Amino acid sequence: MLSYALRRLAMIVPVLFGISVIVFLIMALIPGDPALAILGSFATPENVAGLRRDLGLDRSLVEQYGIWLGNLLRGDFGRSYSLNRPVLDEIGDRLGPTLLLAGASLVLCTVLGLAAGVVSAVRQYGWQDKILTLLVLVGLSTPSFWLGLILVLVFSVQLGWFPVSGMYAIYGGGDFADLLHHLALPAITLAVVAIGVIARLTRSTMLEVLRQDFVRTARAKGLGEGIVTYKHALRNALVNIVPVIGIQTGFVLGGAVYIETVFQWPGIGRMLVTAISTRDILLVQGGVLVVAACYVLINLAADLVQHMLDPRIGT
């Protein structure tokens, strides 16, 4: 287990290096002049040239990347042009809300997806399976941003059960109950598609496992159906399901960009949208890099869990 974990950790380094190159090139090759975006359209050519020189934008891409990477390795993500504060401080303030939203969505999609998939497999072709399959298909076919707007319209505007936006109430609140109250709609919106993916995979994997010989042997020994399903079948099915849950983490983190915008959630996704509109390159590069690093680490955790469930994997 330790050697497998060390090998997987060693693979993270080139992955993060590749991500840093891609993120840097994408932002560097986007049309437009960041210096002109900062100074405005009325800036003189001399002022724009001076700011480009101060920001190092007049150097070659290789030099710019080398300077940026060297600063990253020293823990210096640069300074946001638009916010006039260190990028790392801004990301630190935004990372907690994003991880909270993504974590709540992952818990929802994992618990509900596994439960729906197991029930559908155990009750194959029964009314429970048909209803759950229909709900899963509806969830998979519904765009998340559209669902978010509908939930706000119905449960916030019409019924008044949940707040329209924000992480805490503007006047009063601020406690854990207030946080959960604000978290409910964005977390559900972000989890719906992932619930469908995990439910469908769980159903197909469980059906395959339930037909195997060791399950029939367990039943022949007189074990209860609950023990056979959850202790024997589900444990073996999780070997194939856990990596998909890790992959869904990427979609959840990526989906947080527009869900945070819809619900005005103060996370990295909303920060990135604002930073892109103002061409705040260092803020975008830092935010995307941190989100990508979170995704890589979560997938590493998923691989380690999969290896714990089946030590033959990765050997």
Side-chain angles (χ1 to χ4, degrees):
M1 177 67 185
L2 181 59
S3 61
Y4 177 74
L6 292 175
R7 278 190 282 120
R8 293 289 292 113
L9 276 173
M11 293 173 62
I12 287 180
V13 177
V15 171
L16 291 178
F17 176 73
I19 292 173
S20 71
V21 173
I22 294 172
V23 169
F24 178 82
L25 287 179
I26 289 176
M27 292 308 300
L29 297 178
I30 289 178
D33 190 339
L36 186 60
I38 295 170
L39 294 175
S41 57
F42 295 104
T44 63
E46 292 77 15
N47 289 336
V48 173
L51 184 57
R52 286 180 57 81
R53 187 169 53 253
D54 294 340
L55 297 175
L57 298 176
D58 57 339
R59 303 184 182 185
S60 67
L61 285 180
V62 176
E63 286 181 292
Q64 290 183 46
Y65 176 74
I67 295 172
W68 180 63
L69 184 61
N71 291 334
L72 284 182
L73 294 176
R74 291 194 297 271
D76 181 9
F77 281 56
R79 193 172 187 84
S80 166
Y81 311 147
S82 59
L83 302 176
N84 193 27
R85 66 176 306 206
V87 169
L88 200 56
D89 291 351
E90 182 64 19
I91 292 175
D93 292 342
R94 302 279 191 159
L95 184 60
T98 293
L99 291 181
L100 177 65
L101 176 59
S105 300
L106 275 178
V107 171
L108 278 177
C109 68
T110 302
V111 173
L112 296 180
L114 287 175
V118 170
V119 172
S120 289
V122 173
R123 306 294 182 188
Q124 186 183 19
Y125 304 134
W127 64 269
Q128 300 97 329
D129 181 28
K130 294 176 181 175
I131 291 176
L132 288 171
T133 300
L134 177 63
L135 292 176
V136 165
L137 288 176
V138 171
L140 286 172
S141 307
T142 305
S144 296
F145 68 93
W146 182 83
L147 176 64
L149 294 175
I150 294 298
L151 291 180
V152 168
L153 179 64
V154 174
F155 293 102
S156 299
V157 178
Q158 297 295 332
L159 299 176
W161 292 353
F162 295 97
V164 175
S165 62
M167 189 170 172
Y168 292 102
I170 299 176
Y171 303 105
D175 54 12
F176 186 65
D178 186 40
L179 174 62
L180 291 180
H181 197 204
H182 284 74
L183 182 62
L185 290 187
I188 292 172
T189 305
L190 199 53
V192 166
V193 174
I195 290 173
V197 173
I198 294 173
R200 287 184 67 86
L201 177 67
T202 302
R203 182 183 184 276
S204 60
T205 308
M206 282 291 292
L207 286 174
E208 183 179 341
V209 173
L210 287 171
R211 296 190 184 103
Q212 294 185 8
D213 291 339
F214 76 91
V215 174
R216 282 193 287 269
T217 302
R219 285 174 176 152
K221 289 180 179 177
L223 296 177
E225 194 60 30
I227 295 177
V228 172
T229 300
Y230 294 102
K231 185 177 180 180
H232 295 274
L234 181 59
R235 187 180 187 283
N236 283 274
L238 283 175
V239 175
N240 295 324
I241 298 171
V242 166
V244 175
I245 294 175
I247 293 172
Q248 288 304 307
T249 306
F251 291 101
V252 168
L253 288 172
V257 172
Y258 50 83
I259 295 301
E260 288 180 1
T261 303
V262 170
F263 289 94
Q264 295 296 297
W265 190 261
I268 287 183
R270 187 178 164 203
M271 179 199 77
L272 286 175
V273 172
T274 305
I276 291 172
S277 65
T278 58
R279 284 196 56 79
D280 197 333
I281 293 178
L282 292 178
L283 195 56
V284 176
Q285 290 172 336
V288 172
L289 196 61
V290 168
V291 171
C294 291
Y295 176 55
V296 171
L297 291 176
I298 291 172
N299 271 277
L300 170 65
D303 288 346
L304 294 179
V305 172
Q306 187 188 30
H307 184 74
M308 290 172 62
L309 292 170
D310 187 353
R312 294 171 298 177
I313 295 176
T315 56

